[in-house]
Amino acid sequence: MDLDALIGCLTSSACLVTQTTSGFIIGMLLFLVAVGLTLIFGVLKVVNFSHGAFYMFGAYFAMTAYQVTGSFALALLCGALGTAIIGLVFERVFMSRVYGGDVLMQLLVCYAFVLIFDDVVRLVWGPEFRSMGMPAAFQVPPLSIAGGVVPPFYILLIGVALAVAAILGLGLARTRIGKVIRAAAHNPGMVSALGINTGMIYGGVFALGGLLAGLAGALAAPVRSLTPGMGFSVLIESFIVTVIGGMGSILGALIGALLIGLIRSFGSLGFPLFTEGLMYLFMVIVLVARPTGFFGKDIA
């Protein structure tokens, strides 16, 4: 425990800006993964334990696309759309067969594909650590804010995540397809009786969840090492985020992700040997005070 370092950072504008930005980066990546997870749970009532693998695929697809094209925009697009396709195929071929079944069966199917996807990555890209590198457009001097250092790429990442949050929130609340998705989450039988193909809705939501996780992986590729199994730790933290925010809540996922990001960032200064423990301790406190999480309702 190093409280002096934590207090010193909180009283220094430069350190405060730097650590807050780092916390936001962690939080925004977690949000993009967690919001897909919570969308799938909110509509399909399935805990997608294989969701971290989509994050991993997004990172590898983006790295490959960037190496081939040299365009980071195309890399983001390939990472997001590639995992959306995988998510759609996975849902239609496998997950759709265990809807309404035993929860253990759903978890076993998902966990089996975690191992399968990890081995697929080893076969295609190899078992060694890989690195995409920072795109050339962002290899520029960092911005200085109140004495703190903020790389331009971080601003892009935060902006993309906030844009996704706004689009999802407004899309689910204001558009026809959003209202249909919300109706399917509440009463799929009634939606089906109205002549709407619920299977298409389920597949679309699963693909959207995969797209968001893949986008997170693509955005993380320039600043993270790529390795088979890299999605597992992100998955665990995403579950923490969804539990804190409330399963099925987009706003809860955003707030929970930001809180976890800040806890990790500042906790690494004051409690370097207990940073992981701080996250779980915070989760336990939230669950004791509010078992459903901050916004523990259906999609909002």
Side-chain angles (χ1 to χ4, degrees), residues 13-294:
S13 61
C15 182
L16 193 60
V17 168
T18 301
Q19 292 301 118
T20 300
T21 304
S22 297
F24 277 13
I25 293 305
I26 297 170
M28 290 306 182
L29 288 175
L30 284 178
F31 165 72
L32 289 174
V33 179
V35 74
L37 190 67
T38 201
L39 276 172
I40 291 172
F41 177 81
V43 178
L44 281 66
K45 301 301 184 288
V46 170
V47 179
N48 181 22
F49 200 72
S50 62
H51 198 66
F54 298 151
Y55 169 86
M56 174 182 66
F57 274 126
Y60 275 95
F61 287 160
M63 178 191 70
T64 302
Y66 183 71
Q67 290 174 345
V68 172
T69 67
S71 170
F72 184 59
L74 286 177
L76 288 179
L77 187 64
C78 289
L81 292 182
T83 50
I85 294 171
I86 291 177
L88 179 61
V89 173
F90 177 58
E91 189 277 336
R92 288 289 81 196
V93 177
F94 300 103
M95 291 305 298
S96 62
R97 303 179 186 277
V98 295
Y99 289 155
D102 186 74
V103 174
L104 180 60
M105 179 62 70
Q106 296 173 355
L107 290 176
L108 286 174
V109 170
C110 289
Y111 185 68
F113 273 92
V114 170
L115 303 179
I116 292 170
F117 288 150
D118 284 351
D119 280 350
V120 167
V121 168
R122 289 187 178 91
L123 287 172
V124 175
W125 286 280
E128 66 276 359
F129 283 83
R130 304 289 294 273
S131 177
M132 173 177 161
M134 184 61 63
F138 297 98
Q139 293 179 11
V140 295
L143 303 176
S144 179
I145 302 176
V149 176
V150 181
F153 182 77
Y154 285 12
I155 296 176
L156 171 71
L157 197 157
I158 293 172
V160 169
L162 289 177
V164 167
I167 291 170
L168 285 176
L170 292 174
L172 288 172
R174 304 286 180 86
T175 66
R176 181 180 182 277
I177 185 62
K179 293 175 181 178
V180 170
I181 291 174
R182 293 171 66 190
H186 286 283
N187 194 335
M190 181 61 71
V191 172
S192 181
L194 293 174
I196 299 174
N197 188 336
T198 54
M200 184 178 296
I201 294 174
Y202 289 168
V205 169
F206 215 99
L208 177 59
L211 183 147
L212 293 170
L215 178 61
L219 287 168
V223 293
R224 300 282 175 88
S225 294
L226 279 62
T227 182
M230 63 182 289
F232 187 75
S233 61
V234 172
L235 174 68
I236 298 301
E237 293 180 12
S238 297
F239 273 121
I240 296 174
V241 167
T242 55
V243 168
I244 290 172
M247 296 294 284
S249 171
I250 294 174
L251 178 60
L254 178 60
I255 293 176
L258 288 175
L259 289 174
I260 289 299
L262 292 173
I263 287 173
R264 281 188 60 113
S265 179
F266 286 98
S268 64
L269 293 176
F271 306 90
L273 301 180
F274 193 64
T275 306
E276 301 289 331
L278 283 176
M279 293 191 303
Y280 291 103
L281 179 60
F282 180 66
M283 180 185 71
V284 170
I285 293 173
V286 171
L287 289 180
V288 169
R290 186 175 175 82
T292 57
F294 292 142

